[in-house]
Structures are given as C-alpha cells and as structure tokens.
Amino acid sequence: MSVTLKKANREEMHSLWEMQVEAFKGLLEKYHDYDMSPAAESYERILQKYDFEGTTYYYIVSDGINVGGIRIVDKKDGSRKRISPLWIMPEYRNKGLASLAIIEAEKIYGDDNWSLDTILQEEGNIHLYEKLGYKRTGKIEKISDLMDIVYFEKN
C-alpha cells in the first residue's frame, strides 16, 4: 500500500472540510470539545487557515482514493513545521496510511524540526507519533475532565 500527498487548491477546500468534519465526528462526540475539535470547525475558518502564510492542505491519496487529509504549516523561517490536523477517514483506518502520510510530508519538508499535538487519551495516536520518532515535550494541557492535549516534537 502506498500514499501520495496531493496539494489541495482553494476550490477543493469545501470537499476537504467535509472530510475533516466526518473524520473527527467520533472524537467530537466522545470528548465534547466543541471549541477546538476539527469536526466543529467552520468552513470559513478552514478557508482562513488555507490563506495563512506557510499553510498547505493535502489530500492523502491511496490507490487513487482520497482517504484523508493533512495540513502542514511551514513558515520557512526556522520555526518548527507543524502538522495540524491529520486525519484518515474511518473506513480506511488501521492500515498504516497515517504513518505513510507523515513519512511523505517529511520527504517534502524534511524530517526534522516538527511539532504536533494530539489527545492524550487516544493511545493509537500516541503510538503512531512515537513510532515515527516524535517525542513528548512534557507539555500537557488539560482541556476537560475527559480530555488532555499532549505535545510532541521531532528534531
């Protein structure tokens, strides 16, 4: 199985936004994090992020099918590159596609000086990032009684 990253243009952002909302819907229902969940993000907000300096959205493509999405922020100023968010559609999960997508992003942008964060209670996400060489920074932010955010970096 292989993955490519296909750069999304502004006209494709509505489709990518719909995928993002669907992909994160289960986590939104589980943690009720309406302030920060990608599933609760408005289309207008996605367009604002699309226009941010250094931001690129990609479709994650496997076997010609859009199986997910990833947003990369690279300001090209020496600051850490950032993955936020990354998702695989429910029907394509647990096949290693997220790992392959991160590896592809690192091929494009270089494999060092990255940051990302995830929900501490989502052990699968933690395993994915640690397996790819991301290390916990020690920073954990309590969001609610149900959820904490843990921060990672890769040098």
Side-chain angles (χ1 to χ4, degrees):
M1 189 166 295
S2 68
V3 157
T4 57
L5 299 183
K6 181 182 144 248
K7 199 178 283 192
N9 62 39
R10 204 168 211 294
E11 292 71 39
E12 294 170 309
M13 288 309 297
H14 196 271
S15 164
L16 205 58
W17 170 71
E18 288 176 331
M19 289 175 68
Q20 175 181 300
V21 168
E22 180 65 27
F24 283 98
K25 186 170 60 175
L27 291 176
L28 179 62
E29 291 168 356
K30 183 175 180 179
Y31 295 109
H32 311 288
D33 58 323
Y34 295 94
D35 291 334
M36 63 185 304
S37 172
E41 209 163 32
S42 70
Y43 174 58
E44 291 73 24
R45 180 69 179 138
I46 295 295
L47 287 179
Q48 286 176 343
K49 286 182 173 182
Y50 180 88
D51 291 334
F52 283 172
E53 180 183 345
T55 289
T56 308
Y57 278 90
Y58 294 91
Y59 285 102
I60 299 169
V61 181
S62 180
D63 296 329
I65 299 167
N66 294 334
V67 298
I70 186 171
R71 174 180 171 241
I72 307 290
V73 180
D74 181 7
K75 296 180 181 177
K76 298 184 184 343
D77 62 1
S79 62
R80 287 193 179 275
K81 296 165 281 205
R82 180 161 172 73
I83 297 172
S84 178
L86 160 70
W87 71 89
I88 301 295
M89 300 307 291
E91 60 270 32
Y92 300 105
R93 290 182 186 156
N94 301 311
K95 297 177 183 218
L97 297 171
S99 292
L100 293 172
I102 292 172
I103 291 166
E104 286 302 307
E106 291 177 350
K107 285 179 185 173
I108 296 167
Y109 292 94
D111 64 357
D112 66 336
N113 204 29
W114 286 93
S115 69
L116 55 83
D117 57 72
T118 193
I119 299 169
L120 179 62
Q121 290 76 10
E122 291 298 313
E123 294 175 11
N125 292 357
I126 304 283
H127 176 74
L128 165 69
Y129 299 133
E130 289 179 340
K131 178 180 75 174
L132 292 171
Y134 289 77
K135 307 279 186 221
R136 297 181 198 211
T137 65
K139 179 180 176 186
I140 297 176
E141 186 178 350
K142 185 167 191 60
I143 303 301
S144 70
D145 289 341
L146 299 174
M147 181 179 121
D148 303 285
I149 298 294
V150 60
Y151 293 81
F152 289 83
E153 291 179 348
K154 183 175 183 180
N155 290 320

